[in-house]
Amino acid sequence: ATGRLSSLMAQCQALRIDGRPCGMKALRGEPFCVRHSERTCPGNIVEAMFDRRAFGKQFHDPATWSNWVVCLKTIYGFPLSPPELEVFRACTGRSHPRPGGYEEVFIIAGRQGGKSTVMGFVAAYEAALGGWEKKVGPGEQWNIFCLADTREQAGIVFGNIKRFLGPFKRLVRRETNDELDLSNGAHIAVKASDFRSV
């Protein structure tokens, strides 16, 4: 029984696209095989959004996030399909997005539009899979800083970030009420937009 249990634990826990278990042998100390390891998770934010190895378990119905997918593709400079281009035109009044994406974006969205969820997702993606640790010196820390209208809203965004970092919780070294330090050098802070405290 012990041998059978250890062999089960050595199996990759990822599901294939058809929903069946991967069946490959997991890496030592990890729940996934080399193909499904967190180290080989999708590098593209849109792919990672719906990949169950990364953040897909948090986005239950991809169709309801289609406008946000267009938004993220536009920001990150990914090509848009013809229907996505129509959404872009309707939302921005522009004919085509700028090649290479945008470094600064203003998004006007109503209540319950998914803003806090998407911002938590973007922060978690950039912290865990953004690759920023390759752009700083050895041992250097880099920052993801989120500002919210109120302390309550900051708490919601921070909770979303922690939720999205669930598959990557082994990276979290330190946690306070509104900050996280990750082992890859990422420092995440979510604050209320108060000039005295910020």
Side-chain angles (χ1 to χ4, degrees):
T2 306
R4 185 168 170 233
L5 181 61
S6 63
S7 70
L8 286 173
M9 291 178 66
Q11 296 293 315
C12 176
Q13 295 178 18
L15 295 178
R16 299 187 326 198
I17 293 173
D18 60 9
R20 294 186 355 215
C22 169
M24 298 273 295
K25 187 175 179 182
L27 296 172
R28 183 175 295 171
E30 287 194 27
F32 303 114
C33 67
V34 66
R35 184 165 178 263
H36 293 116
S37 169
E38 291 171 4
R39 287 175 271 171
T40 58
C41 268
N44 175 319
I45 190 169
V46 177
E47 292 174 0
M49 188 174 189
F50 301 112
D51 191 305
R52 294 183 68 80
R53 291 169 288 159
F55 308 101
K57 292 179 182 177
Q58 306 296 331
F59 293 102
H60 304 295
D61 184 0
T64 62
W65 297 96
S66 58
N67 288 347
W68 280 109
V69 168
V70 173
C71 180
L72 291 171
K73 281 186 165 185
T74 301
I75 292 169
Y76 281 82
F78 301 138
L80 301 177
S81 67
E84 290 171 338
L85 190 56
E86 289 306 312
V87 172
F88 170 84
R89 289 172 175 161
C91 291
T92 66
R94 299 171 185 234
S95 59
H96 288 85
R98 188 172 70 187
Y102 297 84
E103 292 182 5
E104 188 172 0
V105 181
F106 294 88
I107 298 170
I108 301 170
R111 290 180 62 81
Q112 300 298 312
K115 300 179 298 296
S116 298
T117 299
V118 172
M119 292 308 105
F121 161 62
V122 170
Y125 168 82
E126 290 292 351
L129 298 176
W132 291 98
E133 65 274 13
K134 299 170 189 167
K135 300 177 183 180
V136 297
E140 285 186 351
Q141 196 173 52
W142 45 279
N143 296 289
I144 295 174
F145 192 52
C146 301
L147 286 177
D149 278 346
T150 63
R151 187 172 294 173
E152 180 186 13
Q153 189 66 29
I156 292 169
V157 173
F158 188 66
N160 286 334
I161 293 171
K162 291 197 301 181
R163 179 167 54 90
F164 279 113
L165 282 175
F168 307 96
K169 60 186 173 188
R170 64 177 180 79
L171 292 176
V172 178
R173 273 189 338 193
R174 185 183 72 90
E175 178 182 337
T176 67
N177 289 336
D178 55 8
E179 296 183 8
L180 291 168
D181 283 327
L182 274 57
S183 60
N184 64 1
H187 174 76
I188 305 170
V190 185
K191 307 285 184 181
S193 188
D194 178 352
F195 75 93
R196 291 180 180 86
S197 60
V198 172

